[in-house]
Amino acid sequence: MSSTAKPDIPKPEIAPEAEVAEEDDEQSLPPPEDEPAKLRFDEEEGSLAAGRATIVHYAKLAPSRPGVYRMIDGRGDVLYVGKAKNVRKRVQTYARPAGLDTRIERMIAATRRLEFVVTRTETEALLLEANLIKRLRPRFNVVLRDDKSFPYILITSDHWAPQILKHRGARTRPGHYYGPFASVWAVNRTVNALQRAFLLRSCSDPFFESRTRPCLLYQIKRCSAPCTKEIEFQDYSALVREANDFLSGRSKKVKDLLADEMEKASGGLDFERAAIYRDRLAALSAIQSHQGVNPRGVEEADVFAIHQQGGFSCVEVFFFRTGQNWGNRAYFPKADRSLLAGEVLSAFLAQFYDDKPPPRLILISHEIVDRALLAEALCTKVGRKIEIAMPSRGEKKDLVEHALANAREALGRKLAETSSQEKLLRQLADTFGLPRVPRRIEVYDNSHIQGSNAVGAMIVAGPEGFSKNQYRKFNIRSADLTPGDDFAMMREVLTRRFKRLLAEAPNKEQHVHLVASPFVAEADAVQPDRERGHSNLTVATPLPIPPPTSMHSGARKRGPGGGREENALPDTQDESPWPDLVLIDGGQGQLTAAREVLTTLGLAIPIAAIAKGPERDAGRETFFIPGRDSFKLPPRDPVLYFVERLRDEAHRFAVGSHRARRKRDLREAGLQEIAGIGPTRKRALLLHFGTLKAIERASLTDLKEVEGISAETARRIYAFFHDGATAT
């Protein structure tokens, strides 16, 4: 789908419907005698009776108009966000004495207050509901586990020689945007093929302006080199038009044009020119051949199919634009296992399009509640007609079946991966003598160059794999820290991490327990127990741990009025931000520094350190655990491989964070930060390469060719950009 830069657009999800006649009366204040004390708030906190009393009280304050309501517990955490055409009637359904799902009763029992927002229409309520669910991530709602925007292809229009590039984020730069694509890999593959087909430049404007000779892309026939006028302005503009036509769905027109030009060149015995057109046609054919299913009768659509198995749900999404398949992605939304497929899909769709422009057609595998309302909400959001359909035959049905088959396979793979990860975690607990199987492992590492641009890094792993959205980096700030003091850096990182966690803990439901294991930092140290945090989403939409199964055993019950409630209380261990194991990349010294921090803060968290083997050999690592002698694991031990993966990921993240910070500082300080580089050599380098990015990418041979740069200076420049960073 092509579009010019547009501002961001509003928001959407679904809540249970009440089977109660609508009222026309306006909201009225409750009589003075209806005080909370007389509504049996003296019941034990967390009991069902206390929750019902809360709802009865707030129902009298609720508006009899469309809007959104939030159910909030005693700690101030939002339990559930719902929308209704008549908020008062909807809230009153929760006070029914019987006929409610066990899961809903648990939600009611935890409710201590309600908040309401009035909207003009039910459509606005739907948009607001989805926006609040994505932002607040309530425990009892279906939650879309995704925090990534989709990549697009951008052909710019703010330069006389437009550039083609991949783009993610706000569409603020003038140009034509094509997408969304399901992955960066799909965008990169398509951009590379488009460069071969249309010879558009991909370099930045500063690099473009500084060129005095064509770059390598011109030599390998992936750019027409407008920077050095190897192609005339009119001819380059024609290439840009052809690229826009192809991405806008007029691919047959473009291919016919290229075929005609190839025939003309061949007829005129200009075989070299004919070969260029032949290669461009081949590149276009390669793009379409990699796209798999390319429907003839569907110009622009998103296809959603959901499959459920083992208490999990997988939603597979295919993107079709301009009659071409632009990839697919699997999502694993966090949802209660008792919800039906259509209920999960309904909630998923509203949140999915909360921050993404919808296509004109949305195809779904299961019927959803409020289909017409959701279509109206999306139409209001983008200002054009949106159709949501569940096809029963024909090509559209085939597309849905294809997506459903992919959903089945994706969920099967994810279940297998999760099972393997659970087995490794159990083996890790046995090997390290942990009191329980870890659900959250935090790994810490530092990276710096002789103390400069020091960065600490924390990565998180669990039964679902790496939780990249919970990674944290710490810029080392201590002014009195000795440069290169790894132990002091580790103390600062852990102090900041756990002080913040302790500061947030009093606002959460937590209790303290002793950890009777050799890991305790001190014999009488205590650790805050499992806390229900909000940061439970993971990148790449990994599979969530299913909630407890004890709440259901018989036939499925319905929500108030026969509608559906969304997402039971998740496993509190899965939700907790407190680690079950802290793993330090380092030896006995780092472990001692880490234990000092935990002891000072009064925490008893299992902790271990992993030191690299002789000559940094993988497979010969030494492990340090409080109360035990250091030990090694057999080279082929799966636990060793698992811990190495954790360590290597922390190392990668630490070094990457350090390099990003160093590059920012370099841009501010200039190339003079490199030994032997002063203003004169800096000027020579910039005149030769054009930009700092080009200097960074230059080979050692290219650096030596710069006037005034000796072989030793070139080596220092190359080392600075490529292999200077170290991680402990």
Side-chain angles (χ1 to χ4, degrees):
M1 181 174 66
S2 169
S3 64
T4 54
K6 294 180 180 178
D8 291 338
I9 31 188
K11 325 282 170 194
E13 184 178 312
I14 322 292
E17 289 295 339
E19 292 181 341
V20 184
E22 294 291 328
E23 283 187 345
D24 295 325
D25 58 312
E26 295 296 326
Q27 174 185 340
S28 58
L29 292 173
E33 61 270 16
D34 287 339
E35 296 296 329
K38 297 183 179 181
L39 292 171
R40 300 183 64 191
F41 278 105
D42 57 337
E43 296 278 359
E44 180 184 354
E45 182 172 349
S47 71
L48 184 59
R52 283 204 176 105
T54 299
I55 289 172
V56 168
H57 170 65
Y58 279 97
K60 297 182 179 182
L61 304 174
S64 299
R65 296 172 56 189
V68 171
Y69 59 94
R70 283 177 282 184
M71 305 175 82
I72 302 171
D73 66 13
R75 299 165 294 154
D77 293 337
V78 177
L79 298 170
Y80 179 77
V81 175
K83 66 107 178 77
K85 191 172 183 180
N86 185 313
V87 174
R88 177 183 296 181
K89 285 302 189 183
R90 176 63 52 75
V91 172
Q92 286 175 345
T93 61
Y94 291 106
R96 290 176 178 171
L100 298 180
D101 194 308
T102 305
R103 173 171 42 86
I104 300 173
E105 290 181 346
R106 294 173 64 207
M107 180 178 73
I108 293 171
T111 301
R112 305 313 298 159
R113 77 174 199 272
L114 283 84
E115 293 180 356
F116 311 103
V117 178
V118 175
T119 59
R120 290 178 296 179
T121 65
E122 192 178 8
T123 298
E124 288 184 4
L126 174 66
L127 296 170
L128 177 60
E129 179 198 33
N131 177 255
L132 290 174
I133 290 172
K134 288 195 73 174
R135 185 157 54 88
L136 301 174
R137 311 194 191 288
R139 295 204 309 266
F140 288 89
N141 284 93
V142 173
V143 178
L144 169 59
R145 302 160 65 88
D146 177 53
D147 60 356
K148 290 272 189 175
S149 59
F150 287 105
Y152 283 73
I153 289 177
L154 167 63
I155 297 181
T156 63
S157 60
D158 56 356
H159 193 279
W160 71 265
Q163 171 192 10
I164 186 171
L165 68 158
K166 64 184 176 189
H167 175 87
R168 194 197 290 270
R171 291 187 265 179
T172 55
R173 187 172 180 183
H176 297 278
Y177 294 83
Y178 301 96
F181 285 80
S183 65
V184 172
W185 174 83
V187 170
N188 288 338
R189 185 198 67 208
T190 305
V191 168
N192 289 340
L194 289 172
Q195 284 181 282
R196 292 194 298 271
F198 300 108
L199 307 176
L200 302 185
R201 72 176 180 97
S202 58
C203 57
S204 65
D205 290 348
F207 184 84
F208 177 90
E209 301 294 347
S210 66
R211 297 303 300 175
T212 56
R213 54 194 172 96
C215 68
L216 180 63
L217 290 178
Y218 174 75
Q219 307 298 334
I220 62 175
K221 296 181 174 57
R222 282 180 50 184
C223 180
S224 54
C227 53
T228 55
K229 304 296 189 295
E230 304 300 319
I231 184 174
E232 294 298 327
F233 171 73
Q234 295 84 353
D235 295 334
Y236 189 79
S237 297
L239 293 177
V240 173
R241 281 195 303 273
E242 290 173 4
N244 280 315
D245 284 344
F246 181 83
L247 289 171
S248 298
R250 296 182 286 274
S251 56
K252 187 176 185 306
K253 169 188 170 185
V254 174
K255 293 177 77 172
D256 288 346
L257 179 64
L258 292 177
D260 289 343
E261 293 295 331
M262 182 179 68
E263 291 294 333
K264 288 179 184 177
S266 178
L269 304 182
D270 189 351
F271 299 116
E272 185 174 343
R273 185 173 178 81
I276 293 175
Y277 287 116
R278 179 203 62 199
D279 294 342
R280 292 178 61 191
L281 275 168
L284 293 182
S285 298
I287 295 174
Q288 295 177 319
S289 66
H290 280 299
Q291 290 169 343
V293 179
N294 288 302
R296 297 179 181 178
V298 178
E299 183 73 12
E300 175 185 315
D302 287 347
V303 181
F304 294 83
I306 182 169
H307 178 67
Q308 293 182 314
Q309 180 182 341
F312 298 102
S313 300
C314 174
V315 179
E316 189 81 25
V317 187
F318 275 79
F319 304 99
F320 294 95
R321 298 295 185 272
T322 67
Q324 302 172 47
N325 178 5
W326 281 358
N328 59 296
R329 182 183 292 187
Y331 291 86
F332 303 92
K334 179 186 157 201
D336 184 76
R337 62 177 59 209
S338 65
L339 292 176
L340 298 178
E343 295 170 333
V344 176
L345 185 58
S346 176
F348 178 90
L349 284 171
Q351 293 178 58
F352 184 83
Y353 289 116
D354 173 62
D355 55 358
K356 303 174 185 70
R360 299 182 185 277
L361 176 62
I362 298 171
L363 301 177
I364 56 177
S365 61
H366 293 70
E367 187 57 77
I368 62 174
V369 296
D370 291 341
R371 193 211 298 189
L373 180 63
L374 179 58
E376 181 185 349
L378 296 178
C379 178
T380 302
K381 183 177 175 180
V382 298
R384 53 182 167 79
K385 183 180 178 182
I386 304 295
E387 180 186 359
I388 302 177
M390 189 177 76
S392 56
R393 61 182 181 276
E395 185 181 39
K396 294 177 182 177
K397 176 67 173 177
D398 293 340
L399 293 178
V400 172
E401 290 296 331
H402 179 68
L404 192 56
N406 278 266
R408 279 193 213 97
E409 292 179 7
L411 184 53
R413 287 193 302 269
K414 187 61 73 173
L415 286 170
E417 292 169 8
T418 302
S419 175
S420 175
Q421 189 85 350
E422 289 276 10
K423 182 179 178 181
L424 283 171
L425 289 172
R426 285 194 294 270
Q427 292 176 349
L428 176 68
D430 293 340
T431 302
F432 281 15
L434 299 178
R436 59 174 172 265
V437 177
R439 315 300 290 177
R440 179 185 175 99
I441 301 172
E442 293 183 358
V443 190
Y444 293 86
D445 192 12
N446 298 325
S447 182
H448 59 92
I449 295 180
Q450 297 178 344
S452 66
N453 297 307
V455 174
M458 176 192 86
I459 67 125
V460 179
E464 305 164 357
F466 293 116
S467 301
K468 295 192 176 182
N469 72 315
Q470 297 187 37
Y471 287 14
R472 297 293 182 266
K473 57 185 176 183
F474 304 82
N475 291 329
I476 304 301
R477 298 194 290 230
S478 298
D480 56 348
L481 188 144
T482 304
D485 187 345
D486 289 321
F487 304 151
M489 292 179 192
M490 186 60 67
R491 276 192 290 269
E492 176 180 335
V493 169
L494 291 175
T495 300
R496 286 165 57 186
R497 160 64 179 159
F498 288 105
K499 270 189 174 180
R500 178 166 184 173
L501 201 52
L502 281 169
E504 296 171 351
N507 297 324
K508 309 289 182 184
E509 180 183 329
Q510 62 164 318
H511 47 276
V512 176
H513 70 284
L514 289 172
V515 181
S517 80
F519 288 96
V520 290
E522 294 292 337
D524 59 347
V526 294
Q527 173 193 8
D529 198 8
R530 317 311 300 168
E531 166 193 341
R532 295 187 186 99
H534 292 296
S535 303
N536 61 348
L537 301 189
T538 54
V539 173
T541 58
L543 195 66
I545 299 302
T549 58
S550 58
M551 61 180 136
H552 269 298
S553 58
R556 183 178 182 276
K557 296 182 181 180
R558 305 293 294 176
R564 52 123 177 103
E565 280 293 344
E566 301 172 54
N567 208 40
L569 183 66
D571 186 348
T572 53
Q573 283 192 346
D574 186 42
E575 294 287 318
S576 175
W578 286 96
D580 296 301
L581 173 65
V582 170
L583 188 62
I584 306 296
D585 185 3
Q588 185 65 56
Q590 278 89 347
L591 179 65
T592 301
R595 290 183 66 197
E596 289 173 0
V597 173
L598 298 182
T599 302
T600 302
L601 297 176
L603 299 175
I605 301 174
I607 185 170
I610 173 173
K612 299 175 181 67
E615 300 180 3
R616 306 174 77 89
D617 256 0
R620 302 174 65 187
E621 285 80 1
T622 302
F623 293 90
F624 299 88
I625 293 177
R628 291 174 57 177
D629 293 334
S630 61
F631 62 93
K632 290 182 170 63
L633 293 176
R636 296 182 181 275
D637 193 319
V639 173
L640 174 61
Y641 174 66
F642 177 62
V643 177
E644 283 176 347
R645 281 175 52 213
L646 298 180
R647 188 269 318 275
D648 293 344
E649 174 67 3
H651 181 90
R652 180 201 65 80
F653 184 58
V655 171
S657 300
H658 162 77
R659 285 176 175 166
R661 185 181 180 191
R662 188 182 67 196
K663 287 176 184 177
R664 284 195 299 271
D665 287 355
L666 179 60
R667 292 187 184 101
E668 296 171 3
L671 289 164
Q672 292 97 320
E673 187 174 319
I674 304 174
I677 300 295
T680 302
R681 284 177 173 169
K682 174 184 175 182
R683 191 179 307 111
L685 286 164
L686 289 173
L687 284 174
H688 184 88
F689 292 103
T691 66
L692 184 64
K693 190 72 175 177
I695 298 173
E696 179 185 337
R697 290 189 301 212
S699 67
L700 187 59
T701 304
D702 290 337
L703 290 168
K704 290 177 182 178
E705 292 179 357
V706 179
E707 185 178 354
I709 301 297
S710 66
E712 176 59 24
T713 303
R715 187 195 61 76
R716 281 200 295 267
I717 296 170
Y718 186 84
F720 184 85
F721 285 113
H722 292 83
D723 54 13
T726 61
T728 59

